[in-house]
Amino acid sequence: MASKTFNVGVVGYGLSAKVFHIPFIITTPGLKLHSIVQRSPKAGDSAPADYPSLKHYTSSDDLVADSEVDVIVVTTPPDNHFDLTKKALEAGKHVLTEKPFVPTSAEAQELADVARQSGRLVCVYQNRRWDADFLLAKHLIEKGALGRVLEYNTHFDRYRADAPASWKGQLGISRGGSALFDLGTHLIDQAYVLFGLPQSVHGRLLNQREGRAEFETPDAVSAQLAYADGLLVNVNISALSAEANQLRYWIRGTKGSFRKFHLDPQEDQLRAGGKPTDAGYGVESTANSSLTAVDEATGKSSQVPVPELVPETYRAFYGDFAKALESGKAEDIPVKAEQARDVLRIIEGILESAKTGKDVVLA
């Protein structure tokens, strides 16, 4: 029996749709790009001009009402994710929603409940679980190369003197915006994948560009997640990091440590016009990483070769999503709404801690 092909409609035609979704929908077996919603096409930025063979809408309501559409991908700003995702699920569509999923953990739980009640799948696009450097760090931790992890430092630092003109710089925390939800969601989700919910969190939210604390549109975050076994996870985001080589990871364990500089290359490759099927896509030199191991006999530390792993890339996420659609099983979803809910609980704890100056207990 032939596998079903799922018609996919995309809501939004900004960077997220053009770079992170459409190229993967087109190249993933079992998925077919069917339609796009772009509210105001114009010369040089027109979905109808770029994809003349597809269906095109200027309203998400029309896409939701299209009986030919099986799956809706939501790439709009996060303040309308909840309403649009819920509407699509209740209309019988499967839904893939960009991160940040929704502004609150309560909304994430409600959408998980709606998906279960409607018999449809809802998935969250946490693509950086498939960053090559994160998967390398995960590999080292799971193989015991670092021993018991003592301290996990994760950074998303850059130097950008001006705030982004998009929702990432303009939309406040209460609506799912700011550096806490934009970049923080990535870093916290990766830590959650590795270590689960922390026992407690402590956070500071800052506006580094203006030099003050900021609880609605911070551009910098410093947060610590504490675990019962003594593990400390330090989450760092900076808008004004004047470094030629930006630190990405520094992970220290009882048997070794791992450092990584610079970001995973996939986003830059895609933004430069590369395709997910290109030779070399997602490949990064191990020169950006270093691995130190302790000789158990002497107690001395020395650098050892960094393993070279074949990158899974963001294609693996979309491949897993397509398999989940085919099986129809919630347990096959690559990033579940309940996982996004837990990440949002951590984010909410960081915000509460920043406002009160106190640790917030989660588990």
Side-chain angles (χ1 to χ4, degrees), residues 95-114:
V95 185
L96 170 60
T97 302
E98 254 287 4
K99 69 84 204 170
F101 185 34
V102 283
T104 70
S105 60
E107 289 174 317
Q109 182 60 60
E110 184 174 345
L111 290 178
D113 293 340
V114 171

Side-chain angles (χ1 to χ4, degrees), residues 287-358:
N288 292 328
S289 305
S290 66
L291 179 62
T292 300
V294 175
D295 186 310
E296 294 185 18
T298 65
K300 293 183 178 180
S301 300
S302 60
Q303 288 201 355
V304 297
V306 178
E308 294 188 41
L309 305 181
V310 176
E312 295 183 25
T313 78
Y314 304 154
R315 295 188 73 189
F317 167 86
Y318 255 101
D320 289 346
F321 179 55
K323 291 175 184 176
L325 293 171
E326 179 69 24
S327 74
K329 297 178 180 178
E331 58 264 32
D332 293 338
I333 298 170
V335 184
K336 300 170 179 60
E338 292 86 353
Q339 295 172 334
R341 173 205 61 203
D342 287 349
V343 170
L344 286 161
R345 285 186 61 201
I346 298 171
I347 288 174
E348 289 164 349
I350 291 170
L351 176 58
E352 181 182 344
S353 173
K355 289 180 174 179
T356 63
K358 301 176 180 179

Side-chain angles (χ1 to χ4, degrees), residues 133-152:
D133 49 11
F134 172 68
L135 291 177
L136 174 57
K138 186 170 182 280
H139 169 83
L140 294 172
I141 292 170
E142 291 179 345
K143 294 297 182 182
L146 307 180
R148 177 168 55 86
V149 178
L150 307 172
E151 187 173 335
Y152 174 90

Side-chain angles (χ1 to χ4, degrees), residues 151-187:
E151 187 173 335
Y152 174 90
N153 299 281
T154 179
H155 289 252
F156 209 128
D157 302 328
R158 49 200 181 181
Y159 191 89
R160 292 188 178 177
D162 297 323
S166 66
W167 67 265
K168 298 176 182 181
Q170 306 300 321
L171 207 61
I173 280 178
S174 60
R175 298 168 63 193
S178 84
L180 179 60
F181 276 86
D182 174 26
L183 305 179
T185 301
H186 283 310
L187 303 188

Side-chain angles (χ1 to χ4, degrees), residues 5-289:
T5 296
F6 292 85
N7 286 333
V8 181
V10 177
V11 182
Y13 197 60
L15 175 69
S16 174
K18 295 175 183 176
V19 170
F20 292 111
H21 292 283
I22 290 175
F24 295 92
I25 295 168
I26 291 172
T27 55
T28 299
L31 302 182
K32 179 182 179 182
L33 185 61
H34 174 276
S35 42
I36 299 173
V37 176
Q38 185 182 21
R39 186 168 54 185
S40 303
K42 54 184 178 291
D45 181 24
S46 170
D50 294 341
Y51 298 94
S53 64
L54 303 184
K55 279 190 175 181
H56 293 277
Y57 298 109
T58 57
S59 167
S60 60
D61 288 341
D62 294 331
L63 178 66
V64 171
D66 190 334
S67 61
E68 295 180 350
V69 174
D70 303 302
V71 184
I72 290 180
V73 177
V74 178
T75 73
T76 55
D79 55 339
N80 66 19
H81 284 184
F82 177 80
D83 289 340
L84 184 49
T85 301
K86 183 179 180 183
K87 184 184 301 182
L89 288 169
E90 291 176 337
K93 313 297 186 186
H94 303 292
V95 185
L96 170 60
T97 302
E98 254 287 4
K99 69 84 204 170
F101 185 34
V102 283
T104 70
S105 60
E107 289 174 317
Q109 182 60 60
E110 184 174 345
L111 290 178
D113 293 340
V114 171
R116 185 169 53 253
Q117 292 160 6
S118 65
R120 292 295 179 265
L121 304 184
V122 61
C123 182
V124 184
Y125 189 65
Q126 287 288 0
N127 60 308
R128 289 194 179 274
R129 292 187 185 188
W130 286 265
D131 278 1
D133 49 11
F134 172 68
L135 291 177
L136 174 57
K138 186 170 182 280
H139 169 83
L140 294 172
I141 292 170
E142 291 179 345
K143 294 297 182 182
L146 307 180
R148 177 168 55 86
V149 178
L150 307 172
E151 187 173 335
Y152 174 90
N153 299 281
T154 179
H155 289 252
F156 209 128
D157 302 328
R158 49 200 181 181
Y159 191 89
R160 292 188 178 177
D162 297 323
S166 66
W167 67 265
K168 298 176 182 181
Q170 306 300 321
L171 207 61
I173 280 178
S174 60
R175 298 168 63 193
S178 84
L180 179 60
F181 276 86
D182 174 26
L183 305 179
T185 301
H186 283 310
L187 303 188
I188 295 166
D189 179 74
Q190 289 181 336
Y192 173 80
V193 168
L194 294 174
F195 310 115
L197 273 173
Q199 190 174 60
S200 64
V201 300
H202 190 92
R204 294 185 184 276
L205 304 178
L206 306 167
N207 187 319
Q208 288 185 333
R209 295 181 178 97
E210 299 180 12
R212 55 180 171 79
E214 171 60 61
F215 304 131
E216 186 58 18
T217 55
D219 58 23
V221 176
S222 177
Q224 187 173 78
L225 285 54
Y227 290 77
D229 64 354
L231 166 67
L232 294 178
V233 170
N234 296 302
V235 176
N236 301 277
I237 299 168
S238 175
L240 294 178
S241 179
E243 296 283 351
N245 297 305
Q246 299 284 5
L247 181 63
R248 180 64 183 88
Y249 296 105
W250 183 19
I251 308 171
R252 298 193 293 176
T254 56
K255 294 182 180 180
S257 67
F258 172 69
R259 289 197 193 207
K260 165 66 169 49
F261 291 87
H262 305 298
L263 293 175
D264 174 273
Q266 292 180 77
E267 178 174 348
D268 285 345
Q269 290 173 333
L270 293 167
R271 293 182 72 160
K275 295 180 174 58
T277 52
D278 288 346
Y281 171 67
V283 175
E284 184 174 20
S285 170
T286 56
N288 292 328
S289 305

